[in-house]
Amino acid sequence: MTLTTTRNEPLDAPIAPPRVVRQRRMRPGLLGLAVLLVALGGLGSAFAVTSVRATGSYLAIARPVTVGSALSADDLVTVQVAGGQGLVPVPAGRIDDVIGKRAVVGLAAGTLLTMSQLTDQPMLGPDQQQIALGLAASEVPARKLNPGDRLLLVSTPAKNSEGNAPSTRFEATVIDMAADRNNVVLYIALANRDVAAVVALDASDRIAVVLTGAA
């Protein structure tokens, strides 16, 4: 390169050498990490899309339901569930299929409902029958008896009986209970051999009910 002075004399100036930019080398470990993060990002996107596609309306329990109780519409609520791999909840569109069925296990509020938790079969053993006892509220051993509670029915003496007649005892299981302010109807499972005797005692108001075990 030649420069010219004020006297028009050429002057040679030094030429700066070109700068060499060194390329940074990426460590193999960092390169592998970057590839892994990209792959995980893709899997996350795919999972998000799958979850959105699997979202549906299902039935959940709105309030606690005891064993043996029949489901009503008030016991159920519709919820939106995404994903749920491995679950088999009841779709909201099948609500008519579950109303009136009985719970074979206790159902907790806020849990999804599955068909395996319900039955439409009577809650009776192979050698049992269901009967109803009409009782005054004061004759029931608890404010609320739940399906599956175990009872002992004890015969009481007749009003005109003399002496200490021996009492008779019968084991029973609660199926359901209906009550108003003064009266209670208790539905129980009873052994076939005891049905006739208990019905006769109940008709004569000679039954005392004892709670021996909770479900």
Side-chain angles (χ1 to χ4, degrees):
M1 179 176 181
T2 302
L3 299 177
T4 305
T5 64
T6 55
R7 295 181 180 180
N8 295 323
E9 295 178 356
L11 179 64
D12 292 333
I15 300 175
R19 296 180 60 186
V20 178
V21 179
R22 299 181 60 184
Q23 295 183 351
R24 295 183 179 179
R25 298 181 60 188
M26 180 174 289
R27 297 179 183 178
L30 294 177
L31 178 61
L33 178 60
V35 173
L36 178 61
L37 290 175
V38 171
L40 290 177
L43 290 175
S45 299
F47 177 77
V49 172
T50 302
S51 297
V52 170
R53 290 178 179 175
T55 300
S57 297
Y58 299 95
L59 295 177
I61 305 302
R63 59 187 182 183
V65 178
T66 55
V67 176
S69 296
L71 280 185
S72 67
D74 293 335
D75 297 322
L76 302 171
V77 64
T78 300
V79 296
Q80 296 291 323
V81 177
Q85 184 176 4
L87 292 176
V88 285
V90 180
R94 295 190 60 188
I95 187 171
D96 291 339
D97 296 337
V98 302
I99 296 296
K101 290 191 175 182
R102 294 185 179 275
V104 297
V105 296
L107 304 177
T111 58
L112 291 173
L113 179 67
T114 64
M115 293 302 293
S116 62
Q117 298 171 321
L118 305 174
T119 183
D120 53 5
Q121 300 299 316
M123 304 288 287
L124 297 173
D127 298 318
Q128 292 182 320
Q129 295 183 37
Q130 177 178 318
I131 67 170
L133 299 180
L135 304 170
S138 60
E139 296 174 328
V140 181
R143 181 174 300 176
K144 173 65 176 177
L145 292 175
N146 298 309
D149 287 350
R150 296 180 298 278
L151 304 177
L152 186 65
L153 309 180
V154 182
S155 65
T156 58
K159 294 179 180 181
N160 56 355
S161 64
E162 297 180 358
N164 296 323
S167 62
T168 308
R169 302 184 179 190
F170 311 90
E171 294 182 350
T173 304
V174 176
I175 294 178
D176 203 355
M177 175 179 173
D180 56 25
R181 181 174 299 179
N182 299 315
N183 300 296
V184 174
V185 178
L186 197 58
Y187 302 93
I188 61 174
L190 198 64
N192 292 339
R193 63 179 182 274
D194 298 332
V195 169
V198 171
V199 169
L201 290 169
D202 182 53
S204 303
D205 293 327
R206 293 181 53 205
I207 285 284
V209 180
V210 180
L211 177 62
T212 60

